[in-house]
């Protein structure tokens, strides 16, 4: 009897040993963790976060420039070789002004052929002098040469189903890859078009603006993308952490963390500064390239719409206002 019991125990132990061995040796299914630069956060009360105390910069004076009938609704801005290029999203034109805002030329009309536009929203140029116009209503980018002659169009698709989803900002790098950003909260990220027209979507919880300088593309987010249900793309965004980033190999790389809650509409990168149009301050603010806050200029009028753009006209900082044809100008005091 004892021998039978001992044999049963041995058989049972052997069985358990085989099971344990199988479980240990069985390859475990790997759960791939999505690598992102920016994180998805849970909804929270942004008022509980710490905002910076602004420092007034009194070296600039604020002016509102009325362009009259030259521009109906200015959005994209670019100053290049002595000319100010204004994308007029109401008249569906590219308006070229001189340094004193006098009209030089108007290009385009409403339509979908070459040099025709439907709610254009952005403009930039590359190192060879070519122009890239974000023709949002036609879901394409029109490429013009340095003499503003049509070269080609590059169509894009936007994944968001929301009617408010639209690209407002465009940047191009040294490889002539185009980067598009804007109000794409259902699929928050950056869309790219390479020189052949192939489109790539980089899902990285990014909603914000992009800017190119010397062949590099930079990005600053509006704030935090928040959500409860990632599978259903149930997102929103709110005031939150802000980062100054660069885009390399279709990935965001953080260069520095900026002050909390800036809600940056658009920005410029100079040799030593970041110049931000901040919705929190309703003004333009200066940071150094390491992300340290320096100062804030006088508040602009409250009737400025948030999807504005920014550029430098010599030493003047110029903002567009898509509610009207006026420009907001910060001029250094003499």
């Amino acid at each position: 009897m004892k021998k039978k019991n001992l044999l049963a125990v041995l058989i049972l132990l052997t069985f358990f040993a085989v099971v344990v061995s199988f479980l240990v040796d069985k390859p475990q299914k790997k759960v791939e963790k999505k690598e992102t630069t920016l994180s998805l956060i849970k909804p929270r009360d942004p008022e509980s976060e710490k905002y910076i105390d602004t420092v007034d910069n009194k070296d600039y004076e604020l002016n509102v420039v009325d362009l009259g009938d030259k521009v109906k609704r200015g959005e994209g801005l670019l100053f290049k070789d002595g000319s100010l290029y204004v994308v007029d999203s109401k008249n569906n034109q590219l308006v070229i002004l001189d340094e004193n805002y006098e009209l030089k030329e108007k290009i385009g009309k409403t339509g979908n052929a070459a040099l025709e536009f439907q709610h254009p929203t952005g403009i930039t140029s590359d190192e060879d002098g070519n122009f890239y116009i974000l023709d949002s209503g036609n879901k394409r980018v029109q490429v013009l040469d340095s003499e503003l002659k049509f070269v080609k169009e590059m169509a894009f698709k936007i994944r968001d189903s929301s009617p408010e989803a639209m690209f407002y900002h465009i940047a191009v790098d040294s490889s002539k890859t185009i980067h598009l950003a804007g109000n794409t909260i259902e699929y928050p990220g950056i869309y790219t078009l390479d020189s052949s027209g192939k489109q790539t979507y980089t899902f990285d919880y990014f909603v914000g603006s992009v800017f190119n300088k010397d062949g590099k593309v930079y990005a600053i987010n509006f704030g935090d993308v928040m959500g409860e249900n990632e599978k259903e793309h149930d997102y929103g965004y709110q005031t939150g952490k802000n980062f100054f980033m660069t885009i390399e190999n279709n990935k965001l790389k953080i260069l520095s963390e900026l002050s909390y809650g800036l809600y940056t509409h658009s920005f410029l990168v100079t040799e030593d500064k970041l110049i931000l149009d901040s919705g929190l301050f309703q003004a333009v603010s200066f940071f150094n390239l390491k992300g340290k806050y320096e100062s804030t200029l006088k508040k602009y009028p409250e009737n400025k719409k948030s999807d504005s753009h920014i550029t430098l006209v010599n030493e003047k900082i110029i903002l567009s206002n898509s509610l009207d044809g006026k420009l907001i100008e910060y001029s250094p005091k003499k």
Side-chain angles (χ1 to χ4, degrees):
M1 189 71 179
K2 290 183 179 180
K3 289 183 179 180
K4 289 184 179 180
N5 289 340
L6 180 60
L7 181 60
V9 170
L10 290 174
I11 292 173
L12 188 61
L13 288 175
T14 303
F15 172 77
F16 279 119
V18 171
V19 171
V20 170
S21 176
F22 174 78
L23 291 175
V24 171
D25 295 338
K26 183 181 179 181
Q28 299 297 309
K29 183 179 180 180
K30 291 184 179 180
V31 178
E32 292 187 5
K33 185 178 179 181
K34 179 169 56 181
E35 293 185 5
T36 60
T37 302
L38 303 178
S39 300
L40 180 71
I41 61 116
K42 298 293 184 183
R44 64 166 184 263
D45 179 11
E47 298 301 324
S48 65
E49 303 294 339
K50 185 178 180 181
Y51 298 86
I52 63 172
D53 294 324
T54 59
V55 177
D56 290 339
N57 185 322
K58 298 180 179 180
D59 294 333
Y60 288 76
E61 59 184 8
L62 174 64
N63 301 296
V64 176
V65 180
D66 191 343
L67 297 176
D69 59 357
K70 300 170 190 172
V71 175
K72 187 69 175 178
R73 187 184 294 158
E75 296 204 33
L77 292 177
L78 175 69
F79 183 69
K80 184 177 178 64
D81 299 329
S83 293
L84 176 62
Y85 299 85
V86 184
V87 172
D88 187 341
S89 64
K90 181 69 174 180
N91 287 332
N92 295 311
Q93 291 179 318
L94 177 62
V95 180
I96 300 99
L97 308 172
D98 66 17
E99 298 176 26
N100 299 312
Y101 311 116
E102 295 298 326
L103 180 64
K104 295 176 70 173
E105 188 178 1
K106 288 186 177 183
I107 295 175
K109 62 180 181 179
T110 303
N112 54 21
L115 296 178
E116 295 180 352
F117 306 98
Q118 195 73 251
H119 197 165
T121 52
I123 183 172
T124 191
S125 64
D126 63 22
E127 295 173 294
D128 296 325
N130 300 304
F131 294 88
Y132 298 75
I133 300 175
L134 179 50
D135 189 5
S136 294
N138 286 320
K139 290 184 171 57
R140 64 181 180 177
V141 174
Q142 292 198 54
V143 183
L144 314 182
D145 65 16
S146 59
E147 297 182 352
L148 299 175
K149 304 298 182 183
F150 177 82
V151 176
K152 63 179 178 179
E153 68 173 58
M154 303 175 73
F156 58 76
K157 294 180 180 179
I158 187 166
R159 298 183 69 178
D160 293 51
S161 59
S162 168
E164 290 82 21
M166 184 174 290
F167 297 127
Y168 288 101
H169 300 278
I170 181 170
V172 60
D173 63 23
S174 57
S175 69
K176 293 184 171 50
T177 297
I178 298 168
H179 302 258
L180 305 174
N183 186 17
T184 56
I185 193 60
E186 188 177 350
Y187 286 86
I190 294 174
Y191 294 67
T192 60
L193 293 167
D194 66 18
S195 57
S196 69
K198 180 183 177 182
Q199 181 171 334
T200 303
Y201 165 73
T202 304
F203 185 89
D204 203 9
Y205 305 124
F206 176 88
V207 178
S209 55
V210 291
F211 176 79
N212 60 271
K213 176 179 172 55
D214 300 331
K216 294 190 70 173
V217 175
Y218 300 92
I220 295 180
N221 59 319
F222 286 164
D224 288 327
V225 172
M226 59 181 184
E228 294 283 3
N229 192 334
E230 180 176 331
K231 292 182 179 179
E232 295 181 8
H233 301 280
D234 185 16
Y235 303 116
Y237 65 84
Q238 65 181 16
T239 303
K241 289 186 176 182
N242 293 265
F243 299 96
F244 173 47
M245 297 168 279
T246 187
I247 301 174
E248 298 177 0
N249 299 319
N250 283 341
K251 291 182 181 290
L252 286 168
K253 176 183 177 182
I254 294 176
L255 300 177
S256 60
E257 183 172 353
L258 304 173
S259 303
Y260 180 89
L262 296 174
Y263 192 53
T264 301
H265 300 153
S266 55
F267 69 98
L268 299 172
V269 181
T270 69
E271 298 302 321
D272 60 350
K273 279 185 180 13
L274 288 176
I275 305 176
L276 276 62
D277 173 13
S278 171
L280 175 67
F281 306 139
Q282 289 186 299
V284 168
S285 297
F286 293 130
F287 288 75
N288 67 24
L289 295 182
K290 293 183 179 180
K292 183 178 179 181
Y293 170 75
E294 294 181 348
S295 63
T296 295
L297 304 182
K298 184 179 179 180
K299 283 188 176 182
Y300 46 64
E302 292 186 1
N303 65 336
K304 186 182 81 66
K305 195 172 180 182
S306 63
D307 54 3
S308 62
H309 294 71
I310 186 171
T311 194
L312 278 172
V313 176
N314 298 324
E315 296 182 337
K316 298 177 182 179
I317 301 169
I318 309 296
L319 304 177
S320 62
N321 183 3
S322 60
L323 290 177
D324 54 37
K326 298 176 182 178
L327 298 178
I328 297 167
E329 174 192 86
Y330 289 96
S331 302
K333 292 181 179 178
K334 298 180 180 178

